[in-house]
Amino acid sequence: MRVLVTGGAGFIGSNLVDRLLAEGHDVAVVDDFSSGRRDNLAEAATHDRFRLHELDVRDPAVIALAAELRPEVICHLAAQISVRKSVADPVHDASVNVQGTASVLTAAREGNVRKVVFASSVAVYGRPATIPVPGDAATDPRSPYAASKLSGETYLATFRALYGIEYTTLVLSNVYGPRQSPEGEAGVVAIFTDGLLSGTPTVLYGDGTQTRDYIYVEDVVDGFVKACGADGNGRRFNLGTGIQTTDRKLHSLIADAANAQDKPGFAPPRVGDLPAMAVDPVPACDGLGWQPRTDLATGLKNTVKWAVRRPR
């Protein structure tokens, strides 16, 4: 296939790019490097089937690019991903996540793209009534970021109805693995890993019993690759394990992998943090032929090995 990946210099996007190239596909990346890293694409840049276009997804040049390249699939991962930044500046969040998605879908129309695979977030579920969250759970966005992601899902359905562009939405739980930045709120595994390797104090908010569903980046990439096919058209799938891991347990596992002392500090709970989250992956297993394959301990050991040698 010829695939266009937006946000392809980011954590998940660059891992997806490497996988697509390894499978023999032609890959073009659109990234403005507002958060992505050029060194994430170092391996990709050695392939003659790779092209990098330094563009903001809101730039009209993206529409022209798609019309020129005519990719079969667009994997749309470019986004503003900070909940707190979205609360502080909802206009910017909507510009990147809503206007940016509308721009990508317009590009898909102009490029006669068969399918768009969209990265959504568990944030669209708000405070779910059932955990693990089923794939057909009601949405309840409680931040501008969550609202913008849900808006993106609505745009996908609208463009499908208007122009016949197929889509699959992938709702991502807490993704971790090589290339995740330790900066910002979205990378608790990276934050703990960086702190434990450097000897910097690590902090748990609350009493350590808050839970999340951690999914290894290679498993998420596998979900994107499978969604590029004909399966799952017009549907939303959760990519997670369905397993809840407490903050305290996560810290212990990373400390073990890093051969570091397991002695975190504690701070008051942060306002708005969910006490628990996990998603039901069974619909994705059935609908995409996908399944999470990497257990948390193994994934964390791989992540620590990468972090020891990561570019600084």
Side-chain angles (χ1 to χ4, degrees):
M1 297 183 296
R2 183 179 292 115
V3 184
L4 175 63
V5 180
T6 71
F11 159 46
I12 301 172
S14 63
N15 279 284
L16 173 60
V17 167
D18 286 348
R19 168 72 177 273
L20 291 169
L21 289 168
E23 293 190 357
H25 304 296
D26 295 326
V27 181
V29 163
V30 166
D31 202 298
D32 66 355
F33 294 98
S34 57
S35 58
R37 295 173 58 109
R38 293 183 187 277
D39 52 36
N40 284 345
L41 296 173
E43 181 180 340
T46 64
H47 290 262
D48 58 9
R49 289 175 283 99
F50 170 78
R51 294 292 182 272
L52 172 62
H53 304 271
E54 190 170 344
L55 292 169
D56 187 307
V57 288
R58 296 166 291 181
D59 191 323
V62 173
I63 299 172
L65 177 66
E68 175 190 347
L69 295 179
R70 301 182 74 81
E72 185 177 344
V73 176
I74 295 178
C75 292
H76 181 33
L77 294 98
Q80 189 296 116
I81 63 171
S82 168
V83 171
R84 286 172 175 77
K85 287 182 179 179
S86 80
V87 172
D89 191 352
V91 174
H92 174 70
D93 180 83
S95 176
V96 176
N97 292 353
V98 181
Q99 181 186 342
T101 298
S103 175
V104 168
L105 286 168
T106 302
R109 182 192 67 198
E110 294 300 312
N112 197 30
V113 170
R114 173 178 61 83
K115 188 173 189 178
V116 176
V117 183
F118 179 62
S120 189
S121 166
V122 292
V124 301
Y125 295 128
R127 291 182 174 270
T130 303
I131 295 177
V133 183
D136 59 354
T139 54
D140 182 23
R142 299 196 175 202
S143 67
Y145 167 70
S148 68
K149 280 297 183 181
L150 188 57
S151 176
E153 294 189 33
T154 302
Y155 266 85
L156 290 164
T158 300
F159 270 67
R160 185 190 194 214
L162 285 174
Y163 308 113
I165 301 169
E166 290 294 351
Y167 73 88
T168 297
T169 293
L170 301 178
V171 174
L172 310 183
S173 59
N174 284 57
V175 187
Y176 73 96
R179 298 181 185 161
Q180 186 175 39
S181 172
E183 301 173 1
E185 67 184 67
V188 64
V189 169
I191 292 168
F192 284 171
T193 299
D194 191 64
L196 288 165
L197 287 175
S198 66
T200 304
T202 50
V203 177
L204 301 180
Y205 294 94
D207 61 4
T209 60
Q210 177 179 276
T211 68
R212 291 293 183 267
D213 180 349
Y214 295 97
I215 180 76
Y216 191 54
V217 66
E218 287 187 6
D219 292 336
V220 170
V221 163
D222 190 51
F224 272 91
V225 172
K226 290 184 182 303
C228 286
D231 293 335
N233 287 347
R235 295 183 62 186
R236 173 203 290 147
F237 295 106
N238 294 328
L239 295 191
T241 67
I243 300 170
Q244 297 183 66
T245 301
T246 67
D247 290 350
R248 189 68 189 86
K249 177 64 173 178
L250 179 71
H251 192 279
S252 296
L253 288 170
I254 298 173
D256 181 64
N259 195 27
Q261 286 192 324
D262 183 23
K263 295 182 178 180
F266 289 84
R270 294 179 294 190
V271 176
D273 275 359
L274 294 176
M277 176 58 76
V279 297
D280 181 7
V282 171
C285 299
D286 296 338
L288 293 176
W290 171 87
Q291 60 180 334
R293 299 180 182 276
T294 309
D295 66 87
L296 185 56
T298 299
L300 291 174
K301 288 177 182 177
N302 293 342
T303 303
V304 168
K305 287 180 182 178
W306 174 84
V308 167
R309 62 179 189 274
R310 77 177 176 89
R312 302 286 174 174

